[in-house]
Amino acid sequence: MAIHWFKYAAPASFYGLAGRMIPWFTGAAVVTTLVGLYIGMVLAPTDFQQGDSYRIIYIHVPAAWMGMFTYLVMAGWAAAGVVFNTRLSGMMVQALAPTGALFTFVALWTGAFWGRPTWGTYWVWDARLTSTLILFFLYIGYMALRASIDDPRRADRAGAVLTLVGVVNIPIIYFSVQWWNTLHQGASVRPGSSSMATVMLTGMLVMAFAAWMYTIAISLARVRSIIIEREQHSAWVGELLVAEGHGRPSGTSEALPGSNEQGAR
Amino acid sequence: MVSDPIYPLSAWELPVNFNWCLTPITVLRRDLLLTLRRPAELMTTLFFFIIVVSLFPLGIGPQPELLREIAPGVLWVAALLASLLALPRLFAADHADGTLEQLALAPQPLSLIVFAKLVAHWLTTGLPLTLLAPLIALQFDLPSSTVWVLVASLALGTPILGAIGAVGAALTLGLRGGGVLTAVLVLPLYIPALIFGAGAVEATLGGLDAGGHLSLLAALTVFTLTFAPWAAAAAVRISLD
Amino acid sequence: MNWSSFSDFLAMGGYAFFVWMSYGVTALLVVAEVAWVVKQRRRSLARAQVQRSIREWSST
């Protein structure tokens, strides 16, 4: 293997790598969002059943996918942290959680505003909405646990256990909610269950891709702050401050995430 | 072989070495003894259960049909909250006086010790709740056929509540705001048990067979009891570092 | 192009409230998250700067 993956497991080297990657992912996120919105909001025709209310799909479905997928990625990092005991893993879990929670909330919010014109109410105890709500609770639980532990290493490990317990439970929760739902109200009419036109599907997939790019960019930016905060006592952070030009003794730094990183290895 | 003063049972001379199960058994006996010597704590949990359940008719109204309809959910949610309140009993005292650290140093696997603690906890929380449930079912005018399903669902479901709760309780050991935090961590994970447990009672009320619900609940119990002690042991070790 | 005019686009076929509430709140949350990350970045750099100053001061 030519690439030494474990080299980047060290926060100091990952910091530089993330800094080089952020502009690319940010650019991709901006471009795909604009393209996706253009396809979905401008080009795509009005749905003959739901009228223009269906256009919420372009954020609802990508947000719901991203909310779920981010939890799986968190669990993957948590597992890596347990197996390899790398510090970076816990930091990545910490960096991903707020964005995952945000997308899950967006899925719930847009679901409510889509449900109102389609189902006649803002909230129904639909199986998918209910499981998404529970997923949101799991994110809140992780962040609450992290917030109440002062020692970051303990927070990493406790968070990893909680995330793994959560990810094992997610299929059980989904199945049980499905079961509960079919017993209580029968099959519900789902928006978007009818076959979609190609333009609509394209718009949705582009928006889903945009959500991916955004999540990667924002979590990389966040993990860089986390790395700096946790390693502020180490020498490499001091060198980095000088190399990046934040080293002025007067102190007010004007750095933005993704500012160029030539000085960092 | 001279009997070891710490493990009175090790005087048994057995062809196979069963010493690994002595510490868990000692822990089980010790936890049971400790709880039974302070019965007030145990009784508080039970009274909490009764009070919460009694509040619902006062809040909703005494119509028997309505009460019968909400009884499965109310009883199950109250059982959930009562076992949540009992969770600090699992580790908190042992954590405070250093016993937990000694247990973690024992040569026996910590997950086995946690399992023993869970059994003791269930015998003093889940089992009394289960036995109390038929009495409360009377308040809600549940027919007797349903009461048996309720007892069965609680008997199968309360071990899940204790086992998942143990993970949450272990993760929040020694943290500020531990109790509320445990609730936030643990309650979402209780949902499948709630759905299958309350669903079994509801199915019987509606004249359906509760077998499907109870089988799924039993499967969940086995699954949870297999993996949760292991996760809880890992969480205990993290909290002790 | 699906729309005949810009006001037509804004009206969203009568569903303006639902569509723009969804898109508006999502946009707001995304902007808030980006602003939060930028702030976090500045704060962590400032703290690291203080740490470095303390280290330099104590070594001289």
Side-chain angles (χ1 to χ4, degrees):
Chain A
M1 279 296 245
I3 308 167
H4 299 289
W5 289 103
F6 277 94
K7 180 192 156 203
Y8 290 109
S13 36
F14 190 78
Y15 180 89
L17 179 70
R20 285 194 298 280
M21 290 192 307
I22 287 169
W24 293 101
F25 285 109
T26 311
V30 170
V31 169
T32 47
T33 306
L34 291 176
V35 170
L37 285 179
Y38 183 73
I39 296 174
M41 300 298 276
V42 179
L43 290 185
T46 305
D47 188 73
F48 73 99
Q49 271 181 325
Q50 300 180 29
D52 285 310
S53 70
Y54 94 92
R55 288 181 201 275
I56 296 173
I57 203 176
Y58 298 115
I59 40 179
H60 175 74
V61 173
W65 283 349
M66 209 62 231
M68 256 184 288
F69 189 71
T70 304
Y71 200 89
L72 296 182
V73 175
M74 275 170 64
W77 279 108
V82 169
V83 174
F84 301 117
N85 200 21
T86 46
R87 274 176 307 159
L88 180 66
S89 317
M91 298 179 184
M92 278 311 291
V93 182
Q94 186 186 358
L96 281 162
T99 307
L102 178 115
F103 274 118
T104 314
F105 178 80
V106 164
L108 289 170
W109 179 267
T110 54
F113 277 90
W114 193 7
R116 177 70 196 171
T118 318
W119 288 324
T121 63
Y122 283 104
W123 182 263
V124 284
W125 290 94
D126 166 72
R128 285 192 281 185
L129 277 179
T130 312
S131 344
T132 309
L133 181 67
I134 299 168
L135 181 65
F136 184 62
F137 292 159
L138 292 181
Y139 277 117
I140 298 294
Y142 172 82
M143 290 194 284
L145 179 66
R146 263 224 94 94
S148 57
I149 304 179
D150 293 327
D151 171 20
R153 284 298 283 155
R154 181 183 164 185
D156 280 351
R157 297 171 62 204
V161 169
L162 184 70
T163 315
L164 291 175
V165 170
V167 87
V168 169
N169 269 282
I170 279 180
I172 303 173
I173 291 172
Y174 271 55
F175 170 72
S176 64
V177 169
Q178 205 91 45
W179 164 281
W180 163 82
N181 187 252
T182 46
L183 287 182
H184 282 263
Q185 55 177 44
S188 54
V189 188
R190 294 186 176 125
S193 58
S194 53
S195 60
M196 291 171 70
T198 322
V199 201
M200 299 179 184
L201 188 66
T202 312
M204 200 176 82
L205 292 179
V206 173
M207 285 302 282
F209 187 73
W212 273 67
M213 295 298 110
Y214 172 77
T215 306
I216 296 175
I218 199 93
S219 54
L220 286 180
R222 194 178 281 123
V223 86
R224 271 161 57 97
S225 299
I226 294 170
I227 290 173
I228 293 257
E229 238 161 78
R230 294 235 205 133
E231 312 252 310
Q232 58 185 347
H233 302 283
S234 63
W236 77 266
V237 172
E239 288 165 25
L240 179 104
L241 289 171
V242 179
E244 283 188 16
H246 310 304
R248 293 180 297 277
S250 55
T252 48
S253 68
E254 269 149 28
L256 289 167
S259 62
N260 52 350
E261 230 59 69
Q262 272 82 18
R265 292 144 310 233
Chain B
M1 183 181 171
V2 184
S3 92
D4 189 331
I6 304 170
Y7 307 126
L9 295 174
S10 66
W12 294 351
E13 290 288 344
L14 293 168
V16 190
N17 188 354
F18 276 111
N19 282 340
W20 57 272
C21 68
L22 296 179
T23 308
I25 290 174
T26 316
V27 168
L28 172 67
R29 284 179 39 189
R30 167 184 170 277
D31 276 20
L32 279 179
L33 264 177
L34 279 176
T35 316
L36 294 179
R37 282 192 185 148
R38 274 172 302 176
E41 268 181 70
L42 166 69
M43 298 308 284
T44 315
T45 310
L46 294 181
F47 275 114
F48 174 81
F49 180 56
I50 297 172
I51 291 171
V52 167
V53 170
S54 310
L55 286 180
F56 279 87
L58 294 172
I60 292 169
Q63 302 90 327
E65 313 82 56
L66 182 64
L67 289 184
R68 218 174 293 140
E69 205 171 314
I70 61 162
V74 167
L75 279 163
W76 255 90
V77 171
L80 231 76
L81 295 178
S83 38
L84 191 70
L85 282 191
L87 285 179
R89 274 216 324 260
L90 256 174
F91 300 119
D94 285 352
H95 179 62
D97 66 10
T99 312
L100 204 56
E101 246 165 277
Q102 300 303 315
L103 287 176
L105 290 175
Q108 287 78 10
L110 184 59
S111 47
L112 212 61
I113 295 171
V114 168
F115 185 77
K117 289 182 85 66
L118 275 177
V119 173
H121 185 75
W122 183 76
L123 288 174
T124 53
T125 314
L127 186 61
L129 282 180
T130 309
L131 298 179
L132 206 60
L135 207 66
I136 293 180
L138 292 180
Q139 283 190 327
F140 283 76
D141 196 28
L142 282 182
S144 55
S145 60
T146 328
V147 172
W148 286 113
V149 176
L150 175 70
V151 170
S153 74
L154 281 175
L156 283 171
T158 41
I160 302 179
L161 306 183
I164 294 179
V167 182
L171 283 175
T172 54
L173 272 179
L175 300 182
R176 58 197 127 75
V180 185
L181 187 61
T182 316
V184 172
L185 302 187
V186 156
L187 282 177
L189 303 176
Y190 277 176
I191 288 168
L194 171 70
I195 288 175
F196 296 134
V201 188
E202 250 169 68
T204 333
L205 265 179
L208 298 169
D209 183 31
H213 284 95
L214 289 179
S215 316
L216 284 169
L217 192 62
L220 191 60
T221 314
V222 172
F223 178 78
T224 311
L225 287 182
T226 313
F227 291 105
W230 190 65
V236 166
R237 286 202 193 281
I238 291 167
S239 298
L240 287 177
D241 271 2
Chain C
M1 179 74 84
N2 186 52
W3 313 97
S4 52
S5 69
F6 187 67
S7 59
D8 196 22
F9 170 70
L10 285 183
M12 276 287 149
Y15 292 107
F17 174 68
F18 304 106
V19 172
W20 296 122
M21 270 305 267
S22 300
Y23 277 84
V25 169
T26 307
L28 206 71
L29 285 173
V30 167
V31 168
E33 194 189 18
V34 171
W36 178 39
V37 167
V38 169
K39 203 184 136 205
Q40 199 183 12
R41 162 100 178 147
R42 286 199 182 138
R43 200 184 50 200
S44 61
L45 281 175
R47 277 191 194 158
Q49 181 57 47
V50 170
Q51 287 295 327
R52 196 180 73 101
S53 310
I54 293 172
R55 263 201 312 276
E56 279 174 2
W57 180 78
S58 57
S59 63
T60 49

